[in-house]
Amino acid sequence: MGETTADVRRDIELTRERMSTTLAQLEQKLNVVQVVRDHPWPAIALAFGAGVALSASGADVKSAAVTVGATKGASSRVGSVLDDLVANLMTGVSAALNERVDGWVTELKDAIGAPRARGATPVRSSGTTSGMTSGNYGVGPTTSPIANTPVERAD
């Protein structure tokens, strides 16, 4: 008479199991990383051959020519905008860096008890007075600690 419901369910379960096993085997065969690990020399030879074939086809030269042709008119406008953008960015970064270094130098001078440079104005950084904008860091004191007499420099 035929199959019972239990027989059909068992057949379905066996089919699922076979399909899962087959898919796992296909995934293992298509796993490029594993294939390269298992057979490194043939993989290197294949990569080398593909590179030679690609370079002989001239596809890279054709692609570069098309790219240059497509961007020919836009390059001057984009270039000037990028130049301005980079110039403004570098100016801002330079100013911030100079302010930070001046602050560090002033903090270091305060820590070691060195006198502050003449004409220096305190600079606020991160909400605290942390530096002086003298630009004279690294040149030594301008007055002698003895009787506050000026120090002669060989500038």
Side-chain angles (χ1 to χ4, degrees):
M1 187 149 195
E3 298 180 31
T4 64
T5 309
D7 291 339
V8 172
R9 288 185 181 173
R10 187 174 37 84
D11 286 343
I12 291 172
E13 189 60 37
L14 289 173
T15 304
R16 283 184 184 163
E17 219 174 281
R18 280 194 309 253
M19 289 176 65
S20 296
T21 305
T22 304
L23 285 173
Q25 289 173 349
L26 283 173
E27 286 176 356
Q28 185 179 3
K29 288 181 180 179
L30 295 177
N31 187 352
V32 176
V33 174
Q34 188 61 43
V35 170
V36 170
R37 284 184 184 147
D38 292 343
H39 310 286
W41 290 109
I44 290 172
L46 182 64
F48 180 76
V52 168
L54 185 61
S55 67
S57 72
D60 55 340
V61 175
K62 293 174 191 172
S63 175
V66 169
T67 303
V68 167
T71 60
K72 198 167 213 123
S75 65
S76 62
R77 291 180 299 225
V78 172
S80 64
V81 169
L82 286 176
D83 286 345
D84 291 343
L85 181 67
V86 169
N88 290 336
L89 177 68
M90 292 308 295
T91 300
V93 168
S94 175
L97 184 63
N98 283 338
E99 182 178 330
R100 180 64 61 123
V101 168
D102 286 341
W104 288 338
V105 168
T106 301
E107 287 177 11
L108 182 61
K109 284 182 177 180
D110 290 345
I112 63 174
R116 295 183 180 209
R118 291 182 193 169
T121 56
V123 174
R124 283 217 169 276
S125 176
S126 305
T128 60
T129 303
S130 65
M132 308 290 272
T133 57
S134 67
N136 289 332
Y137 47 88
V139 296
T142 56
T143 59
S144 169
I146 303 171
N148 246 356
T149 57
V151 174
E152 293 186 28
R153 289 197 229 156
D155 294 38

